[in-house]
Amino acid sequence: MTAIVTRFHEAMLHKSADELADLYAEDGVHEFPFLMPGMVERYNGREEIRAGYKASWGATPASVAEIRNVVIHQSTDPEVLVVEHETAVTVYGRPYTVPGLLVLRVREGKIIHTRDYMDATAVASLRSGHTE
Protein backbone atom coordinates (compact mmCIF):
# COMPACT_ATOMS: atom_id res chain seq x y z
CA MET A 1 0.00 0.00 0.00
CA THR A 2 2.91 2.39 0.43
CA ALA A 3 3.31 2.47 -3.38
CA ILE A 4 0.11 4.50 -3.59
CA VAL A 5 1.70 7.12 -1.32
CA THR A 6 4.67 7.35 -3.68
CA ARG A 7 2.32 7.82 -6.63
CA PHE A 8 0.29 10.43 -4.69
CA HIS A 9 3.48 12.39 -4.01
CA GLU A 10 4.58 12.06 -7.66
CA ALA A 11 1.25 13.56 -8.75
CA MET A 12 1.89 16.49 -6.40
CA LEU A 13 5.42 16.98 -7.78
CA HIS A 14 4.08 16.95 -11.34
CA LYS A 15 0.99 19.05 -10.46
CA SER A 16 -0.89 16.39 -12.40
CA ALA A 17 -4.57 16.23 -11.59
CA ASP A 18 -4.85 13.24 -13.93
CA GLU A 19 -2.17 11.27 -12.09
CA LEU A 20 -3.82 12.08 -8.76
CA ALA A 21 -7.40 11.34 -9.84
CA ASP A 22 -6.36 8.03 -11.40
CA LEU A 23 -5.35 6.82 -7.90
CA TYR A 24 -8.98 7.07 -6.75
CA ALA A 25 -11.91 4.70 -7.02
CA GLU A 26 -14.68 6.05 -9.23
CA ASP A 27 -16.67 7.12 -6.15
CA GLY A 28 -13.64 8.16 -4.07
CA VAL A 29 -13.79 11.18 -1.77
CA HIS A 30 -11.06 13.74 -1.04
CA GLU A 31 -11.85 16.08 1.84
CA PHE A 32 -10.14 19.04 3.49
CA PRO A 33 -10.99 19.18 7.22
CA PHE A 34 -9.00 22.42 7.77
CA LEU A 35 -10.76 24.87 5.50
CA MET A 36 -9.43 28.23 4.44
CA PRO A 37 -11.39 30.94 2.63
CA GLY A 38 -12.08 29.96 -0.94
CA MET A 39 -11.50 26.24 -0.41
CA VAL A 40 -14.04 23.54 -1.06
CA GLU A 41 -14.78 21.11 1.74
CA ARG A 42 -14.53 18.01 -0.42
CA TYR A 43 -14.41 16.52 -3.87
CA ASN A 44 -16.86 13.68 -4.46
CA GLY A 45 -15.87 11.17 -7.12
CA ARG A 46 -12.80 10.68 -9.29
CA GLU A 47 -13.89 13.18 -11.94
CA GLU A 48 -14.65 15.92 -9.42
CA ILE A 49 -11.20 15.29 -7.88
CA ARG A 50 -9.65 15.58 -11.35
CA ALA A 51 -11.53 18.80 -12.21
CA GLY A 52 -10.96 20.35 -8.78
CA TYR A 53 -7.22 19.75 -8.80
CA LYS A 54 -6.88 20.86 -12.44
CA ALA A 55 -8.50 24.14 -11.48
CA SER A 56 -6.62 24.69 -8.21
CA TRP A 57 -3.19 23.53 -9.38
CA GLY A 58 -3.64 25.35 -12.67
CA ALA A 59 -4.46 28.62 -10.91
CA THR A 60 -1.39 28.78 -8.67
CA PRO A 61 2.15 29.88 -9.50
CA ALA A 62 3.40 27.49 -6.79
CA SER A 63 5.49 24.52 -7.81
CA VAL A 64 6.33 21.59 -5.59
CA ALA A 65 10.09 21.23 -5.36
CA GLU A 66 10.18 18.27 -3.00
CA ILE A 67 8.12 16.10 -0.68
CA ARG A 68 10.29 15.41 2.35
CA ASN A 69 10.27 13.96 5.85
CA VAL A 70 7.71 11.37 4.81
CA VAL A 71 6.59 9.05 7.58
CA ILE A 72 3.97 6.38 6.85
CA HIS A 73 2.00 4.85 9.71
CA GLN A 74 -0.02 1.70 9.17
CA SER A 75 -3.14 1.77 11.31
CA THR A 76 -4.84 -1.17 12.97
CA ASP A 77 -7.33 -1.00 10.08
CA PRO A 78 -5.55 -2.65 7.12
CA GLU A 79 -7.18 -0.20 4.67
CA VAL A 80 -5.92 2.94 6.43
CA LEU A 81 -2.55 4.67 6.14
CA VAL A 82 -1.56 7.88 7.89
CA VAL A 83 1.09 9.88 6.04
CA GLU A 84 3.08 12.74 7.51
CA HIS A 85 5.04 14.91 5.10
CA GLU A 86 6.40 18.35 4.37
CA THR A 87 5.88 19.87 0.96
CA ALA A 88 8.67 22.18 -0.16
CA VAL A 89 7.02 24.73 -2.45
CA THR A 90 8.48 27.51 -4.55
CA VAL A 91 6.44 30.58 -5.45
CA TYR A 92 8.10 33.20 -7.66
CA GLY A 93 11.50 31.86 -6.59
CA ARG A 94 10.71 32.03 -2.86
CA PRO A 95 10.73 28.81 -0.81
CA TYR A 96 7.95 27.75 1.56
CA THR A 97 7.32 24.63 3.61
CA VAL A 98 3.81 23.28 4.07
CA PRO A 99 3.50 20.51 6.67
CA GLY A 100 0.70 18.08 6.02
CA LEU A 101 -0.99 14.89 7.07
CA LEU A 102 -2.97 12.53 4.86
CA VAL A 103 -5.32 9.86 6.13
CA LEU A 104 -5.85 7.48 3.22
CA ARG A 105 -8.33 4.62 3.01
CA VAL A 106 -7.28 2.28 0.21
CA ARG A 107 -9.32 -0.66 -1.03
CA GLU A 108 -8.39 -2.98 -3.90
CA GLY A 109 -5.49 -0.70 -4.90
CA LYS A 110 -7.57 2.49 -5.17
CA ILE A 111 -8.05 5.36 -2.74
CA ILE A 112 -11.64 5.44 -1.57
CA HIS A 113 -11.26 8.28 0.94
CA THR A 114 -8.67 10.92 1.80
CA ARG A 115 -8.60 13.41 4.62
CA ASP A 116 -6.05 16.03 3.60
CA TYR A 117 -4.83 18.12 6.55
CA MET A 118 -2.60 21.03 5.49
CA ASP A 119 -1.02 23.60 7.78
CA ALA A 120 -3.40 26.51 7.22
CA THR A 121 -0.87 29.05 8.51
CA ALA A 122 1.73 27.89 6.00
CA VAL A 123 -0.76 27.99 3.15
CA ALA A 124 -1.89 31.48 4.20
CA SER A 125 1.77 32.57 4.11
CA LEU A 126 2.00 31.24 0.57
CA ARG A 127 -1.02 33.26 -0.46
CA SER A 128 0.16 36.45 1.24
CA GLY A 129 3.78 36.23 0.08
CA HIS A 130 5.51 35.91 3.46
CA THR A 131 8.59 33.69 3.58
CA GLU A 132 9.19 30.89 6.08
Side-chain angles (χ1 to χ4, degrees), residues 34-85:
F34 295 158
L35 289 178
M36 292 165 282
M39 279 186 69
V40 297
E41 183 177 336
R42 67 176 38 212
Y43 297 128
N44 293 302
R46 180 187 304 138
E47 296 314 312
E48 193 171 300
I49 293 165
R50 186 183 318 277
Y53 270 94
K54 273 187 183 178
S56 65
W57 282 347
T60 180
S63 63
V64 177
E66 179 184 19
I67 311 290
R68 58 184 179 227
N69 299 323
V70 177
V71 180
I72 300 172
H73 305 277
Q74 183 72 49
S75 78
T76 56
D77 182 331
E79 292 185 341
V80 175
L81 291 173
V82 177
V83 183
E84 299 176 68
H85 61 236

Side-chain angles (χ1 to χ4, degrees), residues 2 5-6 11 20 25 27-28 33 38 51 64 68 76 80 83 85 90 100 104 128:
T2 59
V5 174
T6 299
L20 184 68
D27 60 349
V64 177
R68 58 184 179 227
T76 56
V80 175
V83 183
H85 61 236
T90 303
L104 302 172
S128 69

